[in-house]
Amino acid sequence: MDRGRAVDTGRVIVLGAGIAGLYAALHLAPHPVLVISPEPLGEGASSAWAQGGIAAAMGPGDSPADHAADTVRAGAGTVVEAVAASVTAEARDHILDLTGRGAPFDRDAQGGYVLSREAAHSRPRVVRVKGDQAGREIMATLVAEVRRTASVQVLEGISATGLAAEAGRVTGVTVTAADGHSGPVTLRGTAVLLAGGGAAGLYAQTTNPARVRGQALGMAARAGAMVADAEFVQFHPTAIATGEDPAPLATEALRGEGATLIDREGRRFMAALHPDAELAPRDVVARAVFAAGRAGLRPALDTRACLGAAIDARFPEVASACRRARLDPGAQPIPVTAAAHYHMGGVEVTGPGRSSLSGLWVVGEASATGLHGANRLASNGLLEALVYARRAAADIAGGLGPVREVAPVALALPPGGVPADPAAVAALRRLMSDHVGVLRSAEGLKAALRTIAALERAHPAPAFLTMTAAATLIAAAALLRQNSRGSHFREDFPEPGAATRSRLTLAEALALRDSL
């Protein structure tokens, strides 16, 4: 890859400006940090779209041990129990930390945190903001603090297309203009922290922002990082089916409030499929919604009895999405579909967020910590991002030595550049939904891998190759797992099989692809 000219920043480089990236940047202060963001700060990250909130044992009678037990149960046998115990033990501290930074969590008249119950939780445990605006409000809090922090510089409108390494150590990143219309520049740093989001945007039906399409995973994998649990992509059962791309989300908290899933005849269908009905684990509900849609039964979420007109005040994001489609959620059922929502797999990391590559830490959805297993417990995503962001920041800071003063980075991007072809990206997304989606088979997965290879040959733009690398890993891991577990369901291997985690490098995935 042509990396063009190089710039020594003297800073820790943070790729990604979601909650994980910004929280890590703040915990790295006063060490100098450079945050790379393709969008204006606060926009374009999946974090800002998170509706449910942060899972934490904050209520009377609850405990981190109970939270960890729910996490393990939801994860369908592949959660690393020690990871679940350690993360849930830190949850309360992060809620208090964010509160101290100004995050406006919902509080009751006595000052306690308002807690919602979501799928597979044994009790109300999700700390929220304004009903369904946790991600947006927490992001706003962190953005404001980052703007006030002198040691943190933010470069907006810049995308990374690869990692740079010297003597076997990751030393920087290759960047271009976010629209791809510039030549490459390599930014060298004192450490690199990757927090660029997940891979669910690789699917045609997704709840993820347009810029989150597996690029972080793809960059690390192309550099040789070990990847874990790549086959486990979580499909949210209640994306709002109004034709928007990405699909708006009807938060799981609605079902916690008593909303039910019905078909076109008004019949409730989850009660017959699982003892927990609408609050069954996400993979169970997603497959049921997918099956209803495929059968032409037009699944919908009915909030009329439990909320009625109060949905506008209590869940304004959901109500707004409905009204954009001229739908009154207080009087009409909300049409829903299963949409790719969260990648439980990613770059394999240790407890402090270290990847298999020296000099590279990975946090947030781009990482695979072992917390989520095959089926993430609702609202554990933001919790994991916070816990590992702080851990990684402490680990990085421990190797930096005394705080140094550095000059701001003045980045001048040269002309040139080959952006990803929108038609190729659209073809890749359709392919992933058709063959690597809610239901999978060997025939479909092999077809997907062969077509991804053809797309790469026809469209070799670096930005596109990061996406196809992530897609290849997901499809290859799904082909190798000849059983069904959690979010991964093989129609040709419907039994659960062994409860093991997968580990795969891109080189191994490409070898499998080339053998087909």
Side-chain angles (χ1 to χ4, degrees), residues 172-254:
V173 300
T174 301
V175 300
T176 66
D179 62 8
H181 292 290
S182 81
V185 172
T186 295
L187 298 176
R188 295 195 183 106
T190 53
V192 176
L193 187 147
L194 185 57
L202 286 170
Y203 290 78
Q205 284 193 309
T206 181
T207 62
N208 282 206
R211 290 224 182 255
V212 184
R213 290 180 176 156
Q215 296 95 330
L217 170 59
M219 280 189 291
R222 293 185 74 200
M226 180 62 70
V227 173
D229 300 334
E231 68 271 34
F232 296 130
V233 178
Q234 189 167 66
F235 294 85
H236 200 290
T238 54
I240 302 174
T242 54
E244 287 190 44
D245 179 25
L249 186 65
T251 173
E252 209 154 84
L254 292 166

Side-chain angles (χ1 to χ4, degrees), residues 138-158:
I138 294 169
M139 278 287 291
T141 299
L142 296 179
V143 166
E145 188 167 358
V146 164
R147 295 287 194 200
R148 295 192 299 267
T149 304
S151 60
V152 180
Q153 181 185 355
V154 180
L155 289 181
E156 297 165 298
I158 303 297

Side-chain angles (χ1 to χ4, degrees), residues 167-439:
R169 179 181 177 84
V170 174
T171 56
V173 300
T174 301
V175 300
T176 66
D179 62 8
H181 292 290
S182 81
V185 172
T186 295
L187 298 176
R188 295 195 183 106
T190 53
V192 176
L193 187 147
L194 185 57
L202 286 170
Y203 290 78
Q205 284 193 309
T206 181
T207 62
N208 282 206
R211 290 224 182 255
V212 184
R213 290 180 176 156
Q215 296 95 330
L217 170 59
M219 280 189 291
R222 293 185 74 200
M226 180 62 70
V227 173
D229 300 334
E231 68 271 34
F232 296 130
V233 178
Q234 189 167 66
F235 294 85
H236 200 290
T238 54
I240 302 174
T242 54
E244 287 190 44
D245 179 25
L249 186 65
T251 173
E252 209 154 84
L254 292 166
R255 283 175 279 143
E257 294 285 336
T260 56
L261 285 162
I262 59 175
D263 62 20
R264 66 183 179 187
E265 304 299 330
R267 293 175 297 218
R268 186 179 174 192
F269 57 85
M270 279 307 304
L273 298 176
H274 194 278
D276 293 334
E278 281 79 9
L279 291 177
R282 276 185 176 172
D283 66 304
V284 175
V285 185
R287 284 193 292 274
V289 169
F290 180 83
R294 188 167 63 173
L297 296 176
R298 296 200 296 272
L301 187 68
D302 192 353
T303 65
R304 292 174 295 182
C306 65
L307 288 168
I311 192 171
D312 285 274
R314 295 183 60 189
F315 296 93
E317 284 293 314
V318 174
S320 175
C322 291
R323 296 192 185 284
R324 286 198 301 272
R326 299 185 179 181
L327 177 72
D328 180 0
Q332 300 168 271
I334 303 169
V336 294
T337 188
H341 180 60
Y342 191 96
H343 193 198
M344 275 90 68
V347 181
E348 185 180 51
V349 298
T350 61
R354 293 186 187 183
S355 76
S356 62
L357 301 178
S358 177
L360 179 67
W361 287 256
V362 186
V363 298
E365 196 176 343
S367 69
T369 66
L371 176 67
H372 303 311
N375 191 43
R376 177 178 66 103
L377 182 67
S379 291
N380 265 0
L382 291 184
L383 172 61
E384 178 194 57
L386 295 166
V387 169
Y388 277 83
R390 187 168 71 180
R391 289 180 183 178
D395 195 43
I396 292 170
L400 293 178
V403 174
R404 296 183 302 132
E405 293 291 330
V406 297
V409 176
L411 182 62
L413 293 171
V418 181
D421 182 348
V425 175
L428 177 64
R429 296 178 68 205
R430 287 193 301 270
L431 177 75
M432 293 295 287
S433 283
D434 290 345
H435 296 305
V436 200
V438 177
L439 302 180

Side-chain angles (χ1 to χ4, degrees), residues 14-104:
V14 175
L15 288 179
I19 284 174
L22 298 184
Y23 201 58
L26 290 170
H27 280 284
L28 279 161
H31 291 284
V33 175
L34 181 67
V35 175
I36 307 294
S37 176
E39 303 277 359
L41 201 58
E43 301 178 17
S46 294
S47 297
W49 295 21
Q51 290 185 359
I54 302 170
M58 305 292 289
D62 201 359
S63 69
D66 286 347
H67 184 181
D70 286 351
T71 299
V72 171
R73 278 192 296 270
T78 60
V79 170
V80 178
E81 294 190 19
V83 171
S86 70
V87 170
T88 56
E90 293 183 34
R92 180 182 181 86
D93 186 47
H94 288 282
I95 297 298
L96 298 178
D97 181 38
L98 287 174
T99 301
R101 295 175 186 272

